[in-house]
Amino acid sequence: MSGHYYEFGTQADRWDRARMFFEAKEYLTAARILGGLVDEAPGHVSARLLLARAYYHSAQLGKAEAELREILERDPVEHYARLMLGRTLERQGRTGEAAPHLRMAAAMAGEFPGAEPPGGDQ
C-alpha cells in the first residue's frame, strides 16, 4: 500500500478514515493517518489523543507517552490524557511515575479516596 493513501483527501476525510481504522482495531494504520493530521494541525487535541491511543493499543508506548506529554504541555487539565499517561507509564512498569498522574486524573473526575459518593444519606 503506498503512502499516498494515508494522505489522500481533506483533513475531515482522513480524520474519518483514521477513526474507522481505529474502531476496526487497525491501530498501526490509524496511527499512520493520524500522524499526518497531527503534523498538519499540532493543536488538534482530538487527533493527537486518538494517535496516542492508537500507539498505546499497538504497544508503541514510548510514542504514546510522547503524544500524551505534548497534550498535557498544551493543556495540563486534559483529564483523559492525564489518565492515559498514567496507564501508559504503568504498562511500562513505571508505577511510581504513573501514580501522581492517576491520582490527578481521579481528582479531576471527582473521585476522592475515602469520600462518600454524592447523594449519600441525607
Side-chain angles (χ1 to χ4, degrees):
M1 188 181 296
S2 74
H4 180 70
Y5 174 77
Y6 300 105
E7 301 155 8
F8 179 76
T10 65
Q11 285 184 348
D13 293 336
R14 288 179 284 144
W15 170 248
D16 289 342
R17 190 176 312 120
R19 288 186 15 212
M20 178 191 68
F21 278 110
F22 185 89
E23 290 168 8
K25 297 182 181 355
E26 294 287 338
Y27 302 118
L28 293 174
T29 304
R32 191 159 178 191
I33 297 167
L34 289 162
L37 286 172
V38 167
D39 287 345
E40 289 176 30
H44 191 286
V45 175
S46 296
R48 194 176 287 275
L49 195 52
L50 192 59
L51 176 58
R53 291 177 63 202
Y55 284 148
Y56 178 88
H57 288 297
S58 61
Q60 298 180 74
L61 302 178
K63 288 182 176 184
E65 179 183 347
E67 292 301 329
L68 294 164
R69 289 189 186 278
E70 181 64 32
I71 292 167
L72 292 170
E73 179 72 26
R74 295 168 183 264
D75 184 3
V77 295
E78 171 48 62
H79 165 259
Y80 191 67
R82 184 73 60 188
L83 175 64
M84 274 195 64
L85 178 58
R87 289 189 177 161
T88 300
L89 293 170
E90 273 184 332
R91 192 168 167 195
Q92 295 178 74
R94 296 160 58 192
T95 55
E97 288 179 67
H101 295 288
L102 294 173
R103 280 194 305 270
M104 192 177 302
M108 289 175 176
E111 302 166 7
F112 300 100
E116 287 186 34
D121 294 305
Q122 293 182 4

